[in-house]
Amino acid sequence: MARLGRVHEQESRAASYTTLAAGPDFRHELEIKRSRFITVLRRAGNEEDARDLVSGLRREFHDARHHCSAFIIGPDRDIQRSNDDGEPSGTAGIPMLEALAKRETAPGVADLSDVSAVVVRYFGGVLLGAGGLVRAYSESVSSALSLVPLVRRSRLRICSAAVSHAAAGRLENDLRAAGFVMAGTSYGARDTVLRLAVADNADAIAAAAERLQVLTAGSVELAPEGTEWVDAALA
């Protein structure tokens, strides 16, 4: 089931990407040489959301030695940050960030974004060394990602079609049967405006306009409007 999402004021270069399914923070724990590594993943649409996760976990796990973090934000994945939080430089935040950035969501595709990861570490008394820390933090995030539900987030062009009240119900059913995602209906004094969402590219919009012409014997025109992002289950 597709889910309509936020509207972006400035369109990105990317028309789709993969992110976490909407829902509560996801948690996964590993024990490596007596140290506890608690990974928490959050869907984060901006830096404030991502940093709030770190702040909240610092309060919750106030007695832990480290709260290392990494996040990637935006359809173009242009915001990427990481923090070692006291671990030796480059042994925690960067491996976590690489685990996010290089995660394949389809064969040969690494497009995970809008995700924040924090690994809370309770030291178990055994030193892991730089290489061991890199592997531990990378494995912690990778293991959590292998279990968390993901969705495809795509930018769709919202298009409107004004039809008579009498014809609106049948046309909406026909559009749904043809596989279009309906994005709302509004009612005016003289007609009903159906809104549908199609892939944000010229070919898809042209195909939708042609389909509408066929369904209405050429009596209804398709009017492209703004864009919205939608979530859909991965195939």
Side-chain angles (χ1 to χ4, degrees), residues 57-96:
L57 293 174
R58 285 190 190 281
R59 292 190 296 270
E60 180 179 352
F61 298 102
H62 57 86
D63 56 340
R65 180 171 292 190
H66 304 286
H67 304 77
C68 304
S69 59
F71 57 83
I72 300 177
I73 305 293
D76 294 321
R77 310 210 301 171
D78 47 356
I79 300 175
Q80 300 190 16
R81 306 281 187 271
S82 66
N83 191 302
D84 293 314
D85 193 41
E87 293 282 26
S89 180
T91 63
I94 290 177
M96 292 171 60

PDB file of all heavy atoms in Angstrom, residues 57-96:
ATOM      1  N   LEU A  57      19.018   8.918  23.646  1.00  0.00           N
ATOM      2  CA  LEU A  57      19.714   7.711  24.096  1.00  0.00           C
ATOM      3  C   LEU A  57      20.795   8.035  25.126  1.00  0.00           C
ATOM      4  O   LEU A  57      21.100   7.211  25.993  1.00  0.00           O
ATOM      5  CB  LEU A  57      20.310   6.979  22.894  1.00  0.00           C
ATOM      6  CG  LEU A  57      19.265   6.383  21.950  1.00  0.00           C
ATOM      7  CD1 LEU A  57      19.928   5.807  20.706  1.00  0.00           C
ATOM      8  CD2 LEU A  57      18.443   5.305  22.652  1.00  0.00           C
ATOM      9  N   ARG A  58      21.365   9.234  25.068  1.00  0.00           N
ATOM     10  CA  ARG A  58      22.302   9.642  26.122  1.00  0.00           C
ATOM     11  C   ARG A  58      21.601   9.694  27.476  1.00  0.00           C
ATOM     12  O   ARG A  58      22.170   9.312  28.507  1.00  0.00           O
ATOM     13  CB  ARG A  58      22.911  11.002  25.800  1.00  0.00           C
ATOM     14  CG  ARG A  58      23.965  10.987  24.720  1.00  0.00           C
ATOM     15  CD  ARG A  58      24.663  12.335  24.647  1.00  0.00           C
ATOM     16  NE  ARG A  58      25.517  12.442  23.483  1.00  0.00           N
ATOM     17  CZ  ARG A  58      26.731  11.898  23.399  1.00  0.00           C
ATOM     18  NH1 ARG A  58      27.218  11.210  24.427  1.00  0.00           N
ATOM     19  NH2 ARG A  58      27.455  12.035  22.298  1.00  0.00           N
ATOM     20  N   ARG A  59      20.365  10.163  27.466  1.00  0.00           N
ATOM     21  CA  ARG A  59      19.604  10.211  28.721  1.00  0.00           C
ATOM     22  C   ARG A  59      19.199   8.809  29.168  1.00  0.00           C
ATOM     23  O   ARG A  59      19.298   8.472  30.350  1.00  0.00           O
ATOM     24  CB  ARG A  59      18.363  11.091  28.544  1.00  0.00           C
ATOM     25  CG  ARG A  59      18.688  12.574  28.347  1.00  0.00           C
ATOM     26  CD  ARG A  59      17.428  13.422  28.428  1.00  0.00           C
ATOM     27  NE  ARG A  59      16.490  13.104  27.348  1.00  0.00           N
ATOM     28  CZ  ARG A  59      16.498  13.715  26.165  1.00  0.00           C
ATOM     29  NH1 ARG A  59      17.411  14.648  25.899  1.00  0.00           N
ATOM     30  NH2 ARG A  59      15.605  13.405  25.249  1.00  0.00           N
ATOM     31  N   GLU A  60      18.732   8.005  28.215  1.00  0.00           N
ATOM     32  CA  GLU A  60      18.264   6.659  28.576  1.00  0.00           C
ATOM     33  C   GLU A  60      19.403   5.774  29.063  1.00  0.00           C
ATOM     34  O   GLU A  60      19.273   5.062  30.065  1.00  0.00           O
ATOM     35  CB  GLU A  60      17.577   6.017  27.375  1.00  0.00           C
ATOM     36  CG  GLU A  60      17.063   4.611  27.656  1.00  0.00           C
ATOM     37  CD  GLU A  60      16.367   3.984  26.465  1.00  0.00           C
ATOM     38  OE1 GLU A  60      16.136   4.706  25.456  1.00  0.00           O
ATOM     39  OE2 GLU A  60      16.048   2.780  26.535  1.00  0.00           O
ATOM     40  N   PHE A  61      20.513   5.796  28.317  1.00  0.00           N
ATOM     41  CA  PHE A  61      21.672   4.963  28.671  1.00  0.00           C
ATOM     42  C   PHE A  61      22.779   5.880  29.223  1.00  0.00           C
ATOM     43  O   PHE A  61      23.887   5.921  28.697  1.00  0.00           O
ATOM     44  CB  PHE A  61      22.170   4.202  27.439  1.00  0.00           C
ATOM     45  CG  PHE A  61      21.152   3.247  26.865  1.00  0.00           C
ATOM     46  CD1 PHE A  61      20.417   3.595  25.723  1.00  0.00           C
ATOM     47  CD2 PHE A  61      20.917   2.014  27.457  1.00  0.00           C
ATOM     48  CE1 PHE A  61      19.489   2.716  25.184  1.00  0.00           C
ATOM     49  CE2 PHE A  61      19.983   1.121  26.916  1.00  0.00           C
ATOM     50  CZ  PHE A  61      19.266   1.473  25.793  1.00  0.00           C
ATOM     51  N   HIS A  62      22.452   6.590  30.268  1.00  0.00           N
ATOM     52  CA  HIS A  62      23.372   7.603  30.803  1.00  0.00           C
ATOM     53  C   HIS A  62      24.648   7.011  31.385  1.00  0.00           C
ATOM     54  O   HIS A  62      25.653   7.702  31.536  1.00  0.00           O
ATOM     55  CB  HIS A  62      22.657   8.438  31.874  1.00  0.00           C
ATOM     56  CG  HIS A  62      22.105   7.606  33.007  1.00  0.00           C
ATOM     57  ND1 HIS A  62      22.849   7.235  34.100  1.00  0.00           N
ATOM     58  CD2 HIS A  62      20.872   7.068  33.165  1.00  0.00           C
ATOM     59  CE1 HIS A  62      22.101   6.511  34.906  1.00  0.00           C
ATOM     60  NE2 HIS A  62      20.889   6.384  34.362  1.00  0.00           N
ATOM     61  N   ASP A  63      24.612   5.714  31.728  1.00  0.00           N
ATOM     62  CA  ASP A  63      25.787   5.076  32.323  1.00  0.00           C
ATOM     63  C   ASP A  63      26.662   4.369  31.295  1.00  0.00           C
ATOM     64  O   ASP A  63      27.674   3.761  31.652  1.00  0.00           O
ATOM     65  CB  ASP A  63      25.361   4.088  33.409  1.00  0.00           C
ATOM     66  CG  ASP A  63      24.390   3.034  32.905  1.00  0.00           C
ATOM     67  OD1 ASP A  63      23.752   3.256  31.846  1.00  0.00           O
ATOM     68  OD2 ASP A  63      24.245   1.980  33.562  1.00  0.00           O
ATOM     69  N   ALA A  64      26.310   4.444  30.017  1.00  0.00           N
ATOM     70  CA  ALA A  64      27.127   3.820  28.977  1.00  0.00           C
ATOM     71  C   ALA A  64      28.337   4.696  28.677  1.00  0.00           C
ATOM     72  O   ALA A  64      28.293   5.924  28.819  1.00  0.00           O
ATOM     73  CB  ALA A  64      26.309   3.606  27.707  1.00  0.00           C
ATOM     74  N   ARG A  65      29.405   4.063  28.216  1.00  0.00           N
ATOM     75  CA  ARG A  65      30.637   4.807  27.967  1.00  0.00           C
ATOM     76  C   ARG A  65      30.593   5.572  26.647  1.00  0.00           C
ATOM     77  O   ARG A  65      31.151   6.661  26.540  1.00  0.00           O
ATOM     78  CB  ARG A  65      31.827   3.831  27.966  1.00  0.00           C
ATOM     79  CG  ARG A  65      33.161   4.507  27.720  1.00  0.00           C
ATOM     80  CD  ARG A  65      34.338   3.578  27.945  1.00  0.00           C
ATOM     81  NE  ARG A  65      34.495   3.207  29.347  1.00  0.00           N
ATOM     82  CZ  ARG A  65      35.560   2.550  29.832  1.00  0.00           C
ATOM     83  NH1 ARG A  65      36.545   2.199  29.016  1.00  0.00           N
ATOM     84  NH2 ARG A  65      35.628   2.251  31.100  1.00  0.00           N
ATOM     85  N   HIS A  66      29.926   5.006  25.632  1.00  0.00           N
ATOM     86  CA  HIS A  66      29.937   5.630  24.310  1.00  0.00           C
ATOM     87  C   HIS A  66      28.532   5.603  23.699  1.00  0.00           C
ATOM     88  O   HIS A  66      27.786   4.633  23.866  1.00  0.00           O
ATOM     89  CB  HIS A  66      30.899   4.911  23.365  1.00  0.00           C
ATOM     90  CG  HIS A  66      32.308   4.825  23.891  1.00  0.00           C
ATOM     91  ND1 HIS A  66      33.156   5.902  23.923  1.00  0.00           N
ATOM     92  CD2 HIS A  66      32.993   3.766  24.408  1.00  0.00           C
ATOM     93  CE1 HIS A  66      34.318   5.521  24.426  1.00  0.00           C
ATOM     94  NE2 HIS A  66      34.246   4.241  24.735  1.00  0.00           N
ATOM     95  N   HIS A  67      28.232   6.685  22.975  1.00  0.00           N
ATOM     96  CA  HIS A  67      26.985   6.784  22.203  1.00  0.00           C
ATOM     97  C   HIS A  67      27.387   7.262  20.805  1.00  0.00           C
ATOM     98  O   HIS A  67      27.259   8.449  20.475  1.00  0.00           O
ATOM     99  CB  HIS A  67      26.006   7.769  22.843  1.00  0.00           C
ATOM    100  CG  HIS A  67      25.681   7.464  24.276  1.00  0.00           C
ATOM    101  ND1 HIS A  67      26.552   7.756  25.314  1.00  0.00           N
ATOM    102  CD2 HIS A  67      24.594   6.871  24.838  1.00  0.00           C
ATOM    103  CE1 HIS A  67      26.010   7.376  26.455  1.00  0.00           C
ATOM    104  NE2 HIS A  67      24.821   6.837  26.194  1.00  0.00           N
ATOM    105  N   CYS A  68      27.873   6.357  19.997  1.00  0.00           N
ATOM    106  CA  CYS A  68      28.410   6.700  18.673  1.00  0.00           C
ATOM    107  C   CYS A  68      27.266   6.801  17.665  1.00  0.00           C
ATOM    108  O   CYS A  68      26.258   6.092  17.791  1.00  0.00           O
ATOM    109  CB  CYS A  68      29.438   5.661  18.236  1.00  0.00           C
ATOM    110  SG  CYS A  68      30.778   5.463  19.448  1.00  0.00           S
ATOM    111  N   SER A  69      27.427   7.655  16.659  1.00  0.00           N
ATOM    112  CA  SER A  69      26.295   7.914  15.773  1.00  0.00           C
ATOM    113  C   SER A  69      26.717   8.160  14.336  1.00  0.00           C
ATOM    114  O   SER A  69      27.865   8.514  14.047  1.00  0.00           O
ATOM    115  CB  SER A  69      25.516   9.141  16.282  1.00  0.00           C
ATOM    116  OG  SER A  69      26.352  10.279  16.330  1.00  0.00           O
ATOM    117  N   ALA A  70      25.747   7.972  13.449  1.00  0.00           N
ATOM    118  CA  ALA A  70      25.919   8.266  12.023  1.00  0.00           C
ATOM    119  C   ALA A  70      24.536   8.452  11.423  1.00  0.00           C
ATOM    120  O   ALA A  70      23.574   7.815  11.860  1.00  0.00           O
ATOM    121  CB  ALA A  70      26.659   7.139  11.313  1.00  0.00           C
ATOM    122  N   PHE A  71      24.438   9.343  10.450  1.00  0.00           N
ATOM    123  CA  PHE A  71      23.154   9.477   9.767  1.00  0.00           C
ATOM    124  C   PHE A  71      23.352   9.970   8.343  1.00  0.00           C
ATOM    125  O   PHE A  71      24.357  10.605   8.005  1.00  0.00           O
ATOM    126  CB  PHE A  71      22.180  10.389  10.523  1.00  0.00           C
ATOM    127  CG  PHE A  71      22.666  11.791  10.801  1.00  0.00           C
ATOM    128  CD1 PHE A  71      22.567  12.794   9.845  1.00  0.00           C
ATOM    129  CD2 PHE A  71      23.190  12.116  12.041  1.00  0.00           C
ATOM    130  CE1 PHE A  71      22.974  14.088  10.113  1.00  0.00           C
ATOM    131  CE2 PHE A  71      23.609  13.414  12.332  1.00  0.00           C
ATOM    132  CZ  PHE A  71      23.501  14.406  11.354  1.00  0.00           C
ATOM    133  N   ILE A  72      22.369   9.621   7.502  1.00  0.00           N
ATOM    134  CA  ILE A  72      22.296  10.070   6.110  1.00  0.00           C
ATOM    135  C   ILE A  72      20.907  10.646   5.904  1.00  0.00           C
ATOM    136  O   ILE A  72      19.905   9.999   6.236  1.00  0.00           O
ATOM    137  CB  ILE A  72      22.537   8.909   5.125  1.00  0.00           C
ATOM    138  CG1 ILE A  72      23.923   8.291   5.345  1.00  0.00           C
ATOM    139  CG2 ILE A  72      22.401   9.390   3.680  1.00  0.00           C
ATOM    140  CD1 ILE A  72      24.203   7.084   4.456  1.00  0.00           C
ATOM    141  N   ILE A  73      20.847  11.862   5.349  1.00  0.00           N
ATOM    142  CA  ILE A  73      19.576  12.564   5.197  1.00  0.00           C
ATOM    143  C   ILE A  73      19.419  13.064   3.766  1.00  0.00           C
ATOM    144  O   ILE A  73      20.377  13.537   3.149  1.00  0.00           O
ATOM    145  CB  ILE A  73      19.490  13.768   6.159  1.00  0.00           C
ATOM    146  CG1 ILE A  73      19.725  13.340   7.624  1.00  0.00           C
ATOM    147  CG2 ILE A  73      18.146  14.479   6.021  1.00  0.00           C
ATOM    148  CD1 ILE A  73      18.669  12.462   8.198  1.00  0.00           C
ATOM    149  N   GLY A  74      18.184  12.989   3.260  1.00  0.00           N
ATOM    150  CA  GLY A  74      17.841  13.593   1.975  1.00  0.00           C
ATOM    151  C   GLY A  74      17.786  12.608   0.831  1.00  0.00           C
ATOM    152  O   GLY A  74      18.537  11.622   0.810  1.00  0.00           O
ATOM    153  N   PRO A  75      16.913  12.842  -0.154  1.00  0.00           N
ATOM    154  CA  PRO A  75      16.823  11.974  -1.325  1.00  0.00           C
ATOM    155  C   PRO A  75      18.150  11.815  -2.058  1.00  0.00           C
ATOM    156  O   PRO A  75      18.454  10.743  -2.590  1.00  0.00           O
ATOM    157  CB  PRO A  75      15.779  12.673  -2.208  1.00  0.00           C
ATOM    158  CG  PRO A  75      14.958  13.475  -1.255  1.00  0.00           C
ATOM    159  CD  PRO A  75      15.909  13.934  -0.195  1.00  0.00           C
ATOM    160  N   ASP A  76      18.947  12.888  -2.085  1.00  0.00           N
ATOM    161  CA  ASP A  76      20.252  12.832  -2.745  1.00  0.00           C
ATOM    162  C   ASP A  76      21.365  12.380  -1.802  1.00  0.00           C
ATOM    163  O   ASP A  76      22.534  12.372  -2.187  1.00  0.00           O
ATOM    164  CB  ASP A  76      20.610  14.205  -3.335  1.00  0.00           C
ATOM    165  CG  ASP A  76      19.672  14.607  -4.463  1.00  0.00           C
ATOM    166  OD1 ASP A  76      19.301  13.725  -5.257  1.00  0.00           O
ATOM    167  OD2 ASP A  76      19.308  15.797  -4.537  1.00  0.00           O
ATOM    168  N   ARG A  77      21.005  12.081  -0.557  1.00  0.00           N
ATOM    169  CA  ARG A  77      21.951  11.617   0.468  1.00  0.00           C
ATOM    170  C   ARG A  77      23.085  12.626   0.652  1.00  0.00           C
ATOM    171  O   ARG A  77      24.238  12.268   0.887  1.00  0.00           O
ATOM    172  CB  ARG A  77      22.521  10.235   0.109  1.00  0.00           C
ATOM    173  CG  ARG A  77      21.444   9.217  -0.243  1.00  0.00           C
ATOM    174  CD  ARG A  77      21.827   7.824   0.087  1.00  0.00           C
ATOM    175  NE  ARG A  77      23.032   7.371  -0.594  1.00  0.00           N
ATOM    176  CZ  ARG A  77      23.653   6.230  -0.315  1.00  0.00           C
ATOM    177  NH1 ARG A  77      23.216   5.439   0.627  1.00  0.00           N
ATOM    178  NH2 ARG A  77      24.724   5.867  -0.996  1.00  0.00           N
ATOM    179  N   ASP A  78      22.756  13.908   0.549  1.00  0.00           N
ATOM    180  CA  ASP A  78      23.791  14.937   0.589  1.00  0.00           C
ATOM    181  C   ASP A  78      24.182  15.359   1.998  1.00  0.00           C
ATOM    182  O   ASP A  78      25.174  16.071   2.173  1.00  0.00           O
ATOM    183  CB  ASP A  78      23.358  16.163  -0.225  1.00  0.00           C
ATOM    184  CG  ASP A  78      21.942  16.618   0.075  1.00  0.00           C
ATOM    185  OD1 ASP A  78      21.247  15.947   0.868  1.00  0.00           O
ATOM    186  OD2 ASP A  78      21.514  17.647  -0.477  1.00  0.00           O
ATOM    187  N   ILE A  79      23.417  14.936   3.013  1.00  0.00           N
ATOM    188  CA  ILE A  79      23.788  15.215   4.400  1.00  0.00           C
ATOM    189  C   ILE A  79      24.238  13.908   5.046  1.00  0.00           C
ATOM    190  O   ILE A  79      23.436  12.983   5.222  1.00  0.00           O
ATOM    191  CB  ILE A  79      22.612  15.810   5.187  1.00  0.00           C
ATOM    192  CG1 ILE A  79      22.154  17.120   4.549  1.00  0.00           C
ATOM    193  CG2 ILE A  79      23.007  16.033   6.647  1.00  0.00           C
ATOM    194  CD1 ILE A  79      20.913  17.706   5.194  1.00  0.00           C
ATOM    195  N   GLN A  80      25.515  13.820   5.358  1.00  0.00           N
ATOM    196  CA  GLN A  80      26.083  12.620   5.977  1.00  0.00           C
ATOM    197  C   GLN A  80      26.992  13.056   7.119  1.00  0.00           C
ATOM    198  O   GLN A  80      27.921  13.844   6.910  1.00  0.00           O
ATOM    199  CB  GLN A  80      26.855  11.778   4.965  1.00  0.00           C
ATOM    200  CG  GLN A  80      26.001  11.297   3.790  1.00  0.00           C
ATOM    201  CD  GLN A  80      26.701  10.265   2.923  1.00  0.00           C
ATOM    202  OE1 GLN A  80      27.697   9.666   3.317  1.00  0.00           O
ATOM    203  NE2 GLN A  80      26.165  10.038   1.727  1.00  0.00           N
ATOM    204  N   ARG A  81      26.732  12.544   8.321  1.00  0.00           N
ATOM    205  CA  ARG A  81      27.502  12.907   9.490  1.00  0.00           C
ATOM    206  C   ARG A  81      27.805  11.659  10.319  1.00  0.00           C
ATOM    207  O   ARG A  81      27.064  10.681  10.282  1.00  0.00           O
ATOM    208  CB  ARG A  81      26.737  13.904  10.370  1.00  0.00           C
ATOM    209  CG  ARG A  81      26.260  15.152   9.656  1.00  0.00           C
ATOM    210  CD  ARG A  81      27.357  16.173   9.456  1.00  0.00           C
ATOM    211  NE  ARG A  81      26.816  17.411   8.920  1.00  0.00           N
ATOM    212  CZ  ARG A  81      26.671  17.682   7.638  1.00  0.00           C
ATOM    213  NH1 ARG A  81      27.034  16.790   6.724  1.00  0.00           N
ATOM    214  NH2 ARG A  81      26.161  18.840   7.236  1.00  0.00           N
ATOM    215  N   SER A  82      28.882  11.738  11.116  1.00  0.00           N
ATOM    216  CA  SER A  82      29.209  10.641  12.030  1.00  0.00           C
ATOM    217  C   SER A  82      29.969  11.191  13.225  1.00  0.00           C
ATOM    218  O   SER A  82      30.571  12.272  13.151  1.00  0.00           O
ATOM    219  CB  SER A  82      30.032   9.559  11.325  1.00  0.00           C
ATOM    220  OG  SER A  82      31.301  10.055  10.944  1.00  0.00           O
ATOM    221  N   ASN A  83      29.942  10.436  14.328  1.00  0.00           N
ATOM    222  CA  ASN A  83      30.606  10.871  15.554  1.00  0.00           C
ATOM    223  C   ASN A  83      31.122   9.648  16.314  1.00  0.00           C
ATOM    224  O   ASN A  83      30.364   8.717  16.574  1.00  0.00           O
ATOM    225  CB  ASN A  83      29.633  11.670  16.420  1.00  0.00           C
ATOM    226  CG  ASN A  83      30.320  12.371  17.572  1.00  0.00           C
ATOM    227  OD1 ASN A  83      30.959  11.735  18.400  1.00  0.00           O
ATOM    228  ND2 ASN A  83      30.183  13.683  17.641  1.00  0.00           N
ATOM    229  N   ASP A  84      32.409   9.679  16.682  1.00  0.00           N
ATOM    230  CA  ASP A  84      33.020   8.556  17.413  1.00  0.00           C
ATOM    231  C   ASP A  84      32.717   8.587  18.910  1.00  0.00           C
ATOM    232  O   ASP A  84      32.893   7.572  19.586  1.00  0.00           O
ATOM    233  CB  ASP A  84      34.539   8.575  17.230  1.00  0.00           C
ATOM    234  CG  ASP A  84      34.976   8.289  15.805  1.00  0.00           C
ATOM    235  OD1 ASP A  84      34.437   7.332  15.216  1.00  0.00           O
ATOM    236  OD2 ASP A  84      35.841   9.010  15.284  1.00  0.00           O
ATOM    237  N   ASP A  85      32.301   9.710  19.422  1.00  0.00           N
ATOM    238  CA  ASP A  85      31.949   9.872  20.836  1.00  0.00           C
ATOM    239  C   ASP A  85      32.957   9.222  21.788  1.00  0.00           C
ATOM    240  O   ASP A  85      32.596   8.411  22.642  1.00  0.00           O
ATOM    241  CB  ASP A  85      30.551   9.317  21.114  1.00  0.00           C
ATOM    242  CG  ASP A  85      30.034   9.757  22.485  1.00  0.00           C
ATOM    243  OD1 ASP A  85      30.246  10.921  22.848  1.00  0.00           O
ATOM    244  OD2 ASP A  85      29.456   8.910  23.199  1.00  0.00           O
ATOM    245  N   GLY A  86      34.201   9.564  21.634  1.00  0.00           N
ATOM    246  CA  GLY A  86      35.214   9.110  22.574  1.00  0.00           C
ATOM    247  C   GLY A  86      35.958   7.855  22.189  1.00  0.00           C
ATOM    248  O   GLY A  86      37.001   7.541  22.781  1.00  0.00           O
ATOM    249  N   GLU A  87      35.456   7.113  21.205  1.00  0.00           N
ATOM    250  CA  GLU A  87      36.218   5.972  20.706  1.00  0.00           C
ATOM    251  C   GLU A  87      37.400   6.523  19.887  1.00  0.00           C
ATOM    252  O   GLU A  87      37.363   7.661  19.423  1.00  0.00           O
ATOM    253  CB  GLU A  87      35.348   5.073  19.826  1.00  0.00           C
ATOM    254  CG  GLU A  87      34.218   4.354  20.551  1.00  0.00           C
ATOM    255  CD  GLU A  87      34.690   3.143  21.351  1.00  0.00           C
ATOM    256  OE1 GLU A  87      35.869   3.101  21.778  1.00  0.00           O
ATOM    257  OE2 GLU A  87      33.850   2.234  21.569  1.00  0.00           O
ATOM    258  N   PRO A  88      38.450   5.724  19.695  1.00  0.00           N
ATOM    259  CA  PRO A  88      39.571   6.200  18.869  1.00  0.00           C
ATOM    260  C   PRO A  88      39.083   6.686  17.507  1.00  0.00           C
ATOM    261  O   PRO A  88      38.177   6.092  16.905  1.00  0.00           O
ATOM    262  CB  PRO A  88      40.468   4.961  18.744  1.00  0.00           C
ATOM    263  CG  PRO A  88      40.185   4.186  19.993  1.00  0.00           C
ATOM    264  CD  PRO A  88      38.720   4.393  20.268  1.00  0.00           C
ATOM    265  N   SER A  89      39.665   7.777  17.045  1.00  0.00           N
ATOM    266  CA  SER A  89      39.213   8.414  15.807  1.00  0.00           C
ATOM    267  C   SER A  89      39.113   7.428  14.645  1.00  0.00           C
ATOM    268  O   SER A  89      40.054   6.685  14.370  1.00  0.00           O
ATOM    269  CB  SER A  89      40.174   9.544  15.433  1.00  0.00           C
ATOM    270  OG  SER A  89      39.769  10.169  14.239  1.00  0.00           O
ATOM    271  N   GLY A  90      37.943   7.437  13.996  1.00  0.00           N
ATOM    272  CA  GLY A  90      37.731   6.603  12.816  1.00  0.00           C
ATOM    273  C   GLY A  90      37.333   5.172  13.093  1.00  0.00           C
ATOM    274  O   GLY A  90      37.149   4.399  12.148  1.00  0.00           O
ATOM    275  N   THR A  91      37.144   4.795  14.353  1.00  0.00           N
ATOM    276  CA  THR A  91      36.842   3.388  14.658  1.00  0.00           C
ATOM    277  C   THR A  91      35.355   3.124  14.879  1.00  0.00           C
ATOM    278  O   THR A  91      34.954   1.970  15.008  1.00  0.00           O
ATOM    279  CB  THR A  91      37.607   2.916  15.911  1.00  0.00           C
ATOM    280  OG1 THR A  91      37.164   3.678  17.052  1.00  0.00           O
ATOM    281  CG2 THR A  91      39.101   3.069  15.731  1.00  0.00           C
ATOM    282  N   ALA A  92      34.529   4.166  14.954  1.00  0.00           N
ATOM    283  CA  ALA A  92      33.112   3.951  15.273  1.00  0.00           C
ATOM    284  C   ALA A  92      32.192   4.670  14.293  1.00  0.00           C
ATOM    285  O   ALA A  92      31.463   4.043  13.526  1.00  0.00           O
ATOM    286  CB  ALA A  92      32.834   4.412  16.706  1.00  0.00           C
ATOM    287  N   GLY A  93      32.199   6.007  14.315  1.00  0.00           N
ATOM    288  CA  GLY A  93      31.262   6.760  13.484  1.00  0.00           C
ATOM    289  C   GLY A  93      31.410   6.497  12.008  1.00  0.00           C
ATOM    290  O   GLY A  93      30.418   6.268  11.296  1.00  0.00           O
ATOM    291  N   ILE A  94      32.651   6.511  11.509  1.00  0.00           N
ATOM    292  CA  ILE A  94      32.854   6.290  10.071  1.00  0.00           C
ATOM    293  C   ILE A  94      32.459   4.875   9.656  1.00  0.00           C
ATOM    294  O   ILE A  94      31.765   4.703   8.636  1.00  0.00           O
ATOM    295  CB  ILE A  94      34.305   6.618   9.678  1.00  0.00           C
ATOM    296  CG1 ILE A  94      34.540   8.129   9.767  1.00  0.00           C
ATOM    297  CG2 ILE A  94      34.610   6.125   8.268  1.00  0.00           C
ATOM    298  CD1 ILE A  94      35.956   8.563   9.472  1.00  0.00           C
ATOM    299  N   PRO A  95      32.845   3.821  10.381  1.00  0.00           N
ATOM    300  CA  PRO A  95      32.366   2.480  10.007  1.00  0.00           C
ATOM    301  C   PRO A  95      30.834   2.382  10.033  1.00  0.00           C
ATOM    302  O   PRO A  95      30.241   1.698   9.189  1.00  0.00           O
ATOM    303  CB  PRO A  95      32.997   1.572  11.059  1.00  0.00           C
ATOM    304  CG  PRO A  95      34.213   2.303  11.508  1.00  0.00           C
ATOM    305  CD  PRO A  95      33.841   3.761  11.455  1.00  0.00           C
ATOM    306  N   MET A  96      30.208   3.056  10.982  1.00  0.00           N
ATOM    307  CA  MET A  96      28.745   3.058  11.025  1.00  0.00           C
ATOM    308  C   MET A  96      28.173   3.755   9.795  1.00  0.00           C
ATOM    309  O   MET A  96      27.221   3.264   9.175  1.00  0.00           O
ATOM    310  CB  MET A  96      28.268   3.754  12.298  1.00  0.00           C
ATOM    311  CG  MET A  96      28.570   3.008  13.586  1.00  0.00           C
ATOM    312  SD  MET A  96      28.217   4.017  15.053  1.00  0.00           S
ATOM    313  CE  MET A  96      26.456   4.355  14.837  1.00  0.00           C
TER     314      MET A  96
END
